[in-house]
Amino acid sequence: MSVQERKERERAARERLILATAREIAEGQGWDAVTTRRLSERIEYSQPVLYSHFRGKREIIGAVALEGATEMAAALRAATAAADGPRARVTALARAYLDFAARNPAVYDAMFQLDGGLAFAVEDTPEPLKDAFSALLESLDEVAGDGVHPGLFTEVFWAALHGMATLTRTGRLPAPDAERRVALLVDRLAVL
């Protein structure tokens, strides 16, 4: 292995450590607790080393959002791959989305609530974000209905899931009714 390859591998490992530590702090204490000073102390690298990877917290949030998008897309695809038929796929998709949001609140916030400097729904949207949307679209395309643009339908369905995830997490929707909400969303919105 060349010196350059070793340095690149070490740099990638440091970057993974920074992001994993940021996620750990954010999941435990919220994003306000994630500071470059705290990160540098926890990973035992100086702030200048941290800044050589990310210009600041906003870029860290963006990188966590991209990781989260990749993880969410995989979770959605895994859930829908095991489902048989359109209703089962859409129900599995909705459950997997809501489960992801509940299990990863700080990552979910990085993806959809905080400013990570990422562009959504434009030509230069990063690939992980496009892929996460595609993971939704793949199951929702077949249930959009005649004359309904599948992308638009996916946006509306996604917005409903996002609202349910956010309102449930903040205690504005009672958690015990989550399954009933999913069933209602699937029954009323999807053309099955």
Side-chain angles (χ1 to χ4, degrees):
M1 171 188 322
S2 72
V3 172
Q4 181 63 30
E5 289 172 329
R6 182 181 53 77
K7 285 182 179 183
E8 287 174 12
R9 206 169 65 211
E10 289 171 355
R11 180 173 174 74
R14 264 192 322 270
E15 190 166 300
R16 284 191 304 274
L17 177 63
I18 292 166
L19 294 178
T21 304
R23 286 176 72 157
E24 179 185 317
I25 294 169
E27 291 293 357
Q29 302 168 40
W31 278 103
D32 287 342
V34 179
T35 64
T36 54
R37 177 180 298 236
R38 182 172 281 156
L39 281 172
S40 336
E41 290 169 0
R42 289 276 295 273
I43 65 172
E44 298 179 346
Y45 283 101
S46 68
Q47 283 185 325
V49 169
L50 193 139
Y51 283 117
S52 75
H53 290 272
F54 301 99
R55 287 183 285 204
K57 183 175 175 177
R58 181 178 188 222
E59 280 192 7
I60 292 169
I61 290 169
V64 167
L66 294 177
E67 281 184 349
T70 299
E71 293 164 11
M72 186 174 77
L76 297 177
R77 287 188 175 108
T80 57
D84 186 30
R87 176 182 299 283
R89 269 191 295 284
V90 175
T91 301
L93 174 85
R95 285 181 183 142
Y97 184 97
L98 296 171
D99 288 346
F100 180 87
R103 279 192 327 274
N104 305 284
V107 173
Y108 191 81
D109 284 349
M111 293 168 65
F112 301 120
Q113 302 287 99
L114 302 174
D115 178 11
L118 303 174
F120 282 82
V122 292
E123 191 173 309
D124 62 340
T125 297
E127 282 307 313
L129 299 179
K130 288 179 182 178
D131 188 51
F133 186 80
S134 291
L136 291 166
L137 180 63
E138 289 161 10
S139 290
L140 296 173
D141 184 13
E142 66 182 325
V143 298
D146 291 339
V148 177
H149 187 277
L152 185 62
F153 179 78
T154 300
E155 290 172 352
V156 171
F157 200 92
W158 171 31
L161 290 173
H162 175 70
M164 289 166 53
T166 303
L167 293 170
T168 301
R169 188 167 113 205
T170 58
R172 286 165 176 84
L173 293 178
D177 292 331
E179 280 301 313
R180 289 178 50 209
R181 279 188 212 94
V182 167
L184 183 61
L185 179 66
V186 172
D187 289 343
R188 299 291 185 198
L189 208 51
V191 177
L192 301 166

